[in-house]
Amino acid sequence: MKEHKKMYKRGKLWVTATLFALALGIQIGSSTTASADTLTSAQQATTQTSVAAQPAPQTEDSSYNKADQGNYAALDSVQLTQQGQLDVSGWHATNAAVNRPNHWLIAYDQTAQRELSRVQVQSPVARPDVARVHDVYGAANAGFQAQLALTPAAIAHGDAIQVVSRYTDDPAGNGNPVDYWFAPVKIDSSNVAHLDQVQLSANQLTITGWHTTNLAADKSNHYLIVLDSSDHNRELGRIKVDNVARPDVARAFPGIVNAGNSGFADRLTLTAGVVSRGAELTIISRYTSSADGNSDYVDYWFPPVRLGQENVANLDNISVVDGQLVASGWHAANQASGCGHHYLILLDRTANNQELGRIEVTNLARPDVALAFPLINNAANAGFRAGFQANRLNFNHQLQLISRYSGSADGNSDYVDYWFPPLAGPTENLAHLDGFDWSNGHQLKVTGWHANDITRFESNHNLILFDNTAGRQVAVTMSQPVARPDVGRAFPAIATAARSGFSGSFDLTNWHLDPQHQYSVVSRYSTSADPNGNGGDGQYTDEWLSLPLANRRSFYFDQLQMTAAGLRLAG
């Protein structure tokens, strides 16, 4: 084996490369170097860490192969930590470490040609795996694990960083060294960000998300900037961000120094004009070293966000409650920004759109609507509930409900309307008396069905026994509902047909039905819930069903038998 020495310059360092050539002429150890000179004070990092007293001289172990002139090393892992340090682990074994008891790791900025930091390896790591492969001095304890500080500038500029493992007899790590220069480590220079949510409420644009990049390692100010892309990227405002913790981002991007503290959640006030026209906005996340954010910056431009231009609403429920037609639902629209009055207006379309009433409502919280429409300004407070007097309404007419946001106190100008689908109107009115029972002479029991979708509003069901001949009411009772799926199948156009069955019992203790009179059962749907009335004091819809009591005779033979005593009849 032959030994050759060659001097060459690595940046500002003169380096001696030791080459060992085997008889076969194969060069080994060519990727390793041994420093001939110490780093100058200008080239060294401003701090040194873990400099300890010189350990006792090492004694040679006769068990290793003294003829092996190799310089062996490997980095098992290199990771940039959230604190801007290079976490390195690996091993370095060589016979040249004999009488060089001090082991140092050095971070060298290859791009800037200067040392950034160094740390002494105080606790070698056992590496029996290395000892099995390389029979050299100290191989069994050749492992190391340490953190080397990097400068923010080196990280931000994406400099190539070399880790140097050094054995030396100098406690400060500068004299008579044997070095191994590992391949340069490239700093992650990706620029990544995400908008988790953009929400508009009460003219406040809430922006949440994260932005992380090593390019901003030396930039301490963080801004969110909002531009109006629909108006030549005019700046609407900027917010200085106090970053918030994002451990999820740190897990996804462990090699970016500020990933764990890259979150933001801030608000910017928009003008009513920007909101009402549904402007397209561009949001920029900017890290900068300048106080005003206008120089030396790294930007991330998120895709444009369009403020909601929809005019959306829903009528969740409308029914008659305690004599009122109560409507509840929601209405949200950015066009309504600046309109301080909210009205519900009811028209009778059948009567030439005659206005039946209007009510100014106090909006109610609707977080569900805000979730569905996060970029509509009033979605979070879009709910309404109001009631109109039902006794003024004809539910056989087609009614129209309008939700109106208006800038005027009377609601007649500067408004944004939403017209809900027409309400009520003429529907089929079908009924049938299936049967009756007057067997005990004191009660008349009736069964049948009455199908009419007007029951959505006239929800109280009365049954009336009426003497047609005398022109007067005989008795009244509340109907008991009965499911009628057969009627639902027969009349699918009537939505309530499957629930149209009825049964009722009239108390006739104090009444005598005249078999010479004609009677009817009246099935009445009414808005009135008065238990002592017949529904006539509200809006109502009737169906008259003939009751065939007059001159009716019926018979049936239960038994017909000839006996020795004669014919036996029962029935």
Side-chain angles (χ1 to χ4, degrees), residues 212-234:
T212 185
T213 175
N214 282 328
L215 303 177
D218 59 347
K219 297 169 176 59
S220 59
N221 299 309
H222 187 190
Y223 282 93
L224 289 178
I225 302 171
V226 180
L227 309 179
D228 187 345
S229 305
S230 51
D231 187 13
H232 310 288
N233 276 341
R234 177 172 62 92

Side-chain angles (χ1 to χ4, degrees), residues 66 119 136 169 227 236 284 289 303 346 409 425 460 522:
K66 300 179 181 61
V119 62
V136 297
D169 58 8
L227 309 179
L236 299 176
I284 304 169
S289 63
L346 188 64
N460 301 288
V522 182

Side-chain angles (χ1 to χ4, degrees), residues 506-525:
F506 299 104
D507 184 2
L508 301 180
T509 302
N510 299 320
W511 289 89
H512 173 69
L513 297 185
D514 189 338
Q516 303 302 318
H517 285 199
Q518 297 292 326
Y519 294 91
S520 293
V521 174
V522 182
S523 175
R524 171 172 290 174
Y525 289 115

Side-chain angles (χ1 to χ4, degrees), residues 231-250:
D231 187 13
H232 310 288
N233 276 341
R234 177 172 62 92
E235 183 173 325
L236 299 176
R238 63 178 62 189
I239 314 158
K240 190 169 185 181
V241 176
D242 290 325
N243 279 24
V244 297
R246 287 300 296 261
D248 56 325
V249 180

